[in-house]
Amino acid sequence: MLQMILTGLLCGGLLGFVMQRGRFCLTGGFRDMYLAKDNRMFYALLIAIAIQSVGVYTLISLGVFEFSAGSLPIVAVIIGSFIFGIGIIFAGGCATGTWYRAGEGLIGSWIALAGYMLVAAMMKSGVLLPFDTAVKEIQVESNSIAVTLGLNNWILIAVLVAVVGFIVFRTLRKPTVKIPGLKPKKTGLAHILFEKRWHPFVTAILIGLIAILAWPLSVATGRIAGLGITTPSANILQYLVTGELSFINWGVFLVLGIFLGSLFAAKMSGEFRFRLPDLKTTINSFSGGLMMGFGAGLAGGCSIGNGLVMTAMMTWQGWISLGFMMLGTWTASYFVFVRPRKKTSQTAQAATA
Amino acid sequence: MKKTLEVMGMVCPFPLVEAKEAIKEIQTGDELEVQFDCTQGTESIPRWAAEAGHEVTAYEQLGEAAWTITIKKK
């Protein structure tokens, strides 16, 4: 138990710290691919996936633990991921993003988190369980891309690493404009940790390494999985209302660690303050949280569980989920950001005409 | 001329969306001051300004999780 608490909080703490300081936001990343034609954050995610893939499959090859991809509940993954994508736009952050923004003192994220935990728990052991089970029964035999294609996992990993390497090389070669920054007030290590702007690719490398670390730490406590947010978030609520100790696992301390790590990073950088959202943001946050819980519950993972971890494990679930999650964020972005502006510019033109 | 946009309490990406709208309404050479408290804005607003070719004439942290940035329109 003590080991679970310590290693879970440590891994989560590192992740929360790195995400807060690195401004690692997948919601913003997916959204900007569509709104700003900016793929930087998506590339950063691919870096983290590739690093984790190499690391985790090395550990598996060394016999540290075994991994079985299982079968693919394809309908649940597609529908769930799409709804999750819509939800994170409304909530203003993905599941992990919401945990770390809660640590920055954003009350809107606390509200999103409440909705997310509630519906995720309803899907896992509540009134939505029969629905969840029924949709997940529609399955495709193999979830492993390597098995379906009749290839070795290492060939897939080599292809991924080559593609990512090419993208990184091409992106870094492009001339960049100098982004104006705040005047440094700190020096040395304090400046790097609590002030400096981190390059998204550096943040991505750190997140990839933390994602590798998560596997052996979690496996050592009997939980054969890597980073995961949705089930542990539901587990917290399930434990609180039932008192059943069986709901407590390594993942619970991981997500609590994300909150604490971000809180520490934000405090030390002068970026923590309780911030109250207005009514519209509050409603968006809560409804976004509800959609996140429903979507991630159905899809069997969020942008971390499916988008970062199951992708690295070379499963269909991970990559299909990532694709539909992105489609969901683009659909929601159209209705939240693009259409309202078109409308106002049309009314403005009508008024001047 | 200087226009002030106060978007404290707005979450990402709305401060940036508002700033992009506001800068359309001012003349070249005029300044737009954006006051915001969304942490992600510390990255996204100066990045947008630089990439769009505007000049950042002032950028400061006002206090705990509060910032101001002044952008001179291209």
Side-chain angles (χ1 to χ4, degrees), chain A residues 29-40 43 174 338, chain B residues 20 51:
Chain A
F30 295 157
R31 181 193 63 217
D32 290 343
M33 290 171 81
Y34 167 59
L35 290 185
K37 307 280 169 281
D38 176 359
N39 293 342
R40 274 180 335 128
Y43 296 158
K174 268 189 210 156
V338 179
Chain B
K20 282 181 178 173
E51 285 175 353

Side-chain angles (χ1 to χ4, degrees), chain A residues 40 197 270 273 275 341, chain B residues 37 43 47 61 64-65:
Chain A
R40 274 180 335 128
R197 170 187 291 129
R273 187 159 51 85
R275 280 160 276 180
R341 273 202 287 170
Chain B
D37 64 2
E43 165 79 23
R47 171 173 292 278
Q61 179 156 10
E64 295 287 316

Side-chain angles (χ1 to χ4, degrees), chain A residues 132-249:
Chain A
D132 185 60
T133 315
V135 182
K136 280 181 178 152
E137 264 168 21
I138 312 165
Q139 290 186 346
V140 177
E141 195 60 47
S142 174
N143 195 2
S144 159
I145 300 176
V147 169
T148 312
L149 301 180
L151 295 169
N152 186 298
N153 266 314
W154 283 107
I155 296 176
L156 297 174
I157 296 168
V159 171
L160 177 68
V161 170
V163 169
V164 171
F166 174 73
I167 289 173
V168 170
F169 174 73
R170 215 188 48 178
T171 309
L172 292 182
R173 226 183 34 174
K174 268 189 210 156
T176 48
V177 281
K178 199 185 169 306
I179 313 288
L182 292 160
K183 236 181 257 128
K185 289 174 190 159
K186 300 182 173 82
T187 51
L189 193 61
H191 170 69
I192 294 170
L193 288 180
F194 302 114
E195 196 171 54
K196 194 180 181 306
R197 170 187 291 129
W198 294 10
H199 192 286
F201 291 178
V202 174
T203 309
I205 293 169
L206 294 174
I207 288 176
L209 294 175
I210 295 168
I212 299 172
L213 178 71
W215 281 89
L217 292 182
S218 176
V219 166
T221 68
R223 176 183 173 274
I224 315 293
L227 295 178
I229 312 297
T230 309
T231 307
S233 300
N235 288 156
I236 292 176
L237 187 61
Q238 288 167 314
Y239 169 70
L240 289 176
V241 296
T242 62
E244 288 276 349
L245 206 61
S246 61
F247 284 117
I248 297 294
N249 56 64

Side-chain angles (χ1 to χ4, degrees), chain A residues 45-85:
Chain A
L45 173 65
L46 291 181
I47 294 173
I49 293 172
I51 289 175
Q52 186 191 183
S53 211
V54 172
V56 175
Y57 272 102
T58 302
L59 291 175
I60 292 173
S61 299
L62 293 173
V64 180
F65 52 87
E66 279 177 27
F67 174 78
S68 151
S71 53
L72 167 66
I74 186 152
V75 176
V77 169
I78 290 176
I79 298 175
S81 301
F82 187 75
I83 293 174
F84 180 80

Side-chain angles (χ1 to χ4, degrees), chain A residues 20 23 31 40 100-101 104 177-182 197 269-273 275 281 336-337 341, chain B residues 11-14 21 37-40 42-43 46-47 50-51 56 59-61 63-67:
Chain A
Q20 201 280 337
R23 315 274 188 253
R31 181 193 63 217
R40 274 180 335 128
Y100 90 69
R101 285 201 183 79
E104 287 179 346
V177 281
K178 199 185 169 306
I179 313 288
L182 292 160
R197 170 187 291 129
S269 330
E271 292 176 353
F272 176 88
R273 187 159 51 85
R275 280 160 276 180
T281 311
V336 175
F337 305 114
R341 273 202 287 170
Chain B
V11 288
C12 127
F14 286 103
E21 285 301 307
D37 64 2
C38 141
T39 320
Q40 287 69 36
T42 58
E43 165 79 23
R47 171 173 292 278
E51 285 175 353
V56 172
Y59 184 18
E60 262 178 275
Q61 179 156 10
E64 295 287 316
W67 295 269

